[in-house]
Amino acid sequence: MTSPNTPLPTDRARLLAQLAEPRQYDLAVIGGGATGLGVALDAAARGFSVVLVESHDFAKGTSSRATKLVHGGVRYLAQGNISLVREALHERTTLLGNAPHLAQPLPFVMPSYRFWETPFYGLGLKAYDLLAGRAGLGTTEFLGREGTLRLLPTVRRDGLQGGVKYWDGQFDDARLALALARTAALRGALLVNYCPARELIHENGKVVGLRCEDTETGTPYTIRARCVVNATGVWVDGLRSQDAEALGRPARPIVAPSQGVHIVVDREFLPSDHAMMVPKTADGRVLFAVPWLGKVILGTTDSPRQDLEREPRPFKEEADFILSESARYLTRAPSAADVRSIWVGLRPLVRPPDDEGGNTKSISREHTVLASPSGLVTVTGGKWTTYRAMAEDVLQKCFDAGLLPARAGGATQRLPVVGAPNGPVRHGMDEAQGPHSYGSEAVFLDNVPGAQHWLAPGLSEAMVRFAARHEYARTVEDMLARRSRMLFLDAAQALRLAPQVAAILQEELGTDPGLAAFEALAAQYHTVPA
């Protein structure tokens, strides 16, 4: 077995000194979510010089707030979107292979309460298997009543006819994003968080770079690049408008934001390593109950939203919907008092030409890549599972537009991310976080001060110091929301630990770790709208 790479330091002074160097990059990426990080990694893996700037923390927005599923999209199959499902199934296998410590197969059970549901949905899921082909993770099985109860012991028994078992995947979205960033850095990319792009630089009608600013000091930086990619998710229209204004032409918005709410409860509500999927709830939406990192995620909703808040709050009707629908399928109904955390993600759905801002459930989850007359390349839409394919499409657009010289693709098809172990993975994604979450890098934690000082189960002082030294962490939120997922799993516990984490970060970084801001955020994540 080969030894893992020694973790690169993420000393901010060194990163900013590199950013200040006068040079021209091949590619500048704006946005440090799944898509932007995927583009940076792919470009760096092909040998291009790459810089990426992110206005907040990596995966701060949509990319840390997914339903945690690596999936082909059963409901997209029902919509007849075969091409999207086929691509996602292929990418699902690639992702699980490149990050086995952060993304793993997950069996689902779809309980049936009407006589026709098992054969009807079962045949559809058999088609899902056929589309997956060699990329399949397991065979769909038809279950009787007892088999369903064995796998989902707390599912409602009254009227239960049987069920269908099928396979998809699940992952830790924020830690995967961080692994993509660190893998890109190993390939020579420069990535800087908390450094928003303030404006694009145009010369002779072409985008030639951008101006950004370190939010901690207010220091401005100028980046010049042959190609600039706008990968800012639901916020892409802001840069597109700025680009269009510089050229004296209008830019039609291309994003129709959709809001998805998730509720986290204790494992006792679904004490199983199988997830539950209800294909059609009272209003036609899908309901998931997913075991994840020692808890259970219930969700999700799909509601149009016009504002683009960084920390959107759930609507009361969304929380009520998830709790009431869960009560229809679980023997013990979760109440607002049982909620450990509630969080919201905004999805950047691509707006169809005739969209009037209505129902977002019917909008395609496919991505789009555009090149403006100035050469600004914009990517939005899509989903986490297909981030790698999206990155390849972005680079192909850069080649087609003559912004970069073409180089062969496939560089990330079999490119393990930082921490990917060479041997078998012994811990499932349903288990609580701990040193195993670091994969092959767990060995390095032993050499960091505080390795035996546990702040809480699964979180040591060494992990906080490691995040500050090697994982770009700058704030308490960075640590407890995305390096550790505690805020998303148990907001009250995160709130209790915040002062200790803040003290360690203050010692490591010498800057304000944002304790007060995190305490306010944790209170929000712990509050179910009434």
Side-chain angles (χ1 to χ4, degrees), residues 88-418:
L89 287 169
H90 172 78
E91 291 299 321
R92 178 187 70 178
T93 302
T94 301
L95 199 162
L96 267 60
N98 287 338
H101 59 309
L102 298 173
Q104 298 168 7
L106 174 68
F108 285 75
V109 174
M110 187 184 296
S112 303
Y113 290 90
R114 297 178 180 86
F115 73 92
W116 54 269
E117 289 181 324
T118 295
F120 178 78
Y121 291 118
L123 289 173
L125 288 164
K126 286 288 187 182
Y128 196 57
D129 289 351
L130 287 173
L131 275 177
R134 293 182 180 179
L137 303 178
T139 303
T140 293
E141 303 173 39
F142 293 83
L143 303 173
R145 174 184 166 86
E146 293 308 313
T148 302
L149 288 171
R150 186 177 69 256
L151 300 179
L152 298 178
T154 53
V155 75
R156 179 169 61 85
R157 295 168 177 257
D158 182 33
L160 181 66
Q161 303 280 318
V164 183
K165 175 180 175 179
Y166 73 100
W167 289 82
D168 251 323
Q170 69 175 155
F171 73 136
D172 184 336
D173 49 4
R175 285 204 64 84
L176 179 61
L178 183 63
L180 295 179
R182 297 179 60 215
T183 308
L186 277 175
R187 294 288 176 134
L190 172 62
L191 301 98
V192 185
N193 53 356
Y194 294 102
C195 193
R198 296 303 188 193
E199 63 176 327
L200 299 170
I201 301 173
H202 290 81
E203 292 179 1
N204 302 317
K206 297 296 181 182
V207 171
V208 296
L210 60 104
R211 293 186 179 89
C212 55
E213 179 184 296
D214 172 21
T215 56
E216 294 185 9
T217 64
T219 304
Y221 296 88
T222 297
I223 298 172
R224 300 188 71 85
R226 294 179 176 86
C227 181
V228 177
V229 172
N230 172 16
T232 53
V234 293
W235 297 277
V236 293
D237 284 326
L239 279 174
R240 291 182 67 249
S241 295
Q242 187 188 124
D243 178 52
E245 186 176 327
L247 300 178
R249 61 178 70 205
R252 187 183 70 84
I254 61 172
V255 171
S258 166
Q259 172 167 298
V261 173
H262 302 81
I263 284 175
V264 176
V265 295
D266 287 333
R267 194 65 176 271
E268 64 194 60
F269 287 93
L270 187 65
S272 173
D273 58 2
H274 286 59
M276 180 181 73
M277 198 274 263
V278 177
K280 196 170 184 180
T281 56
D283 76 342
R285 283 180 283 200
V286 171
L287 175 73
F288 290 106
V290 180
W292 188 69
L293 301 183
K295 301 289 185 181
V296 174
I297 298 175
L298 304 173
T300 178
T301 59
D302 197 341
S303 310
R305 182 149 191 165
Q306 300 309 311
D307 61 321
L308 297 175
E309 290 286 335
R310 285 284 169 180
E311 285 292 348
R313 295 175 184 268
F315 302 132
K316 179 181 183 300
E317 55 268 27
E318 291 177 308
D320 291 346
F321 167 79
I322 293 173
L323 292 174
S324 63
E325 285 300 310
S326 299
R328 293 181 60 203
Y329 293 95
L330 297 173
T331 53
R332 180 185 164 199
S335 67
D338 298 307
V339 174
R340 295 290 176 251
S341 187
I342 180 168
W343 34 274
V344 182
L346 296 179
R347 304 182 184 100
L349 306 184
V350 179
R351 185 188 299 270
D354 57 352
D355 175 63
E356 298 297 331
N359 187 351
T360 55
K361 292 190 287 293
S362 62
I363 297 180
S364 171
R365 267 54 180 174
E366 291 183 273
H367 63 275
T368 191
V369 185
L370 305 172
S372 77
S374 73
L376 177 68
V377 175
T378 294
V379 54
T380 194
K383 57 204 195 84
W384 239 119
T385 306
T386 58
Y387 84 90
R388 198 198 65 84
M390 292 169 64
E392 291 200 332
D393 288 350
V394 169
L395 287 178
Q396 188 60 51
K397 178 65 74 171
C398 297
F399 302 155
D400 293 344
L403 301 168
L404 292 174
R407 293 181 184 172
T412 56
Q413 181 72 41
R414 291 180 178 83
L415 179 60
V417 302
V418 164

Side-chain angles (χ1 to χ4, degrees), residues 10 462-473 479 483 505:
T10 54
M463 292 175 182
V464 180
R465 295 189 186 279
F466 187 86
R469 297 177 186 185
H470 303 290
E471 295 183 328
Y472 298 93
M479 184 63 227
R483 278 68 179 170
L505 289 175

Side-chain angles (χ1 to χ4, degrees), residues 64-65 68 264 341 343 481 485-490 525:
S64 61
R65 303 155 194 259
K68 318 309 178 194
V264 176
S341 187
W343 34 274
R485 306 313 307 278
M486 192 174 293
L487 177 64
F488 286 76
L489 295 165
D490 190 332
Y525 276 54

Side-chain angles (χ1 to χ4, degrees), residues 3-5 7 435-436 438-448 451 466:
S3 299
N5 289 307
H436 62 270
Y438 293 74
S440 64
E441 287 196 315
V443 296
F444 296 116
L445 293 173
D446 294 336
N447 299 320
V448 179
F466 187 86

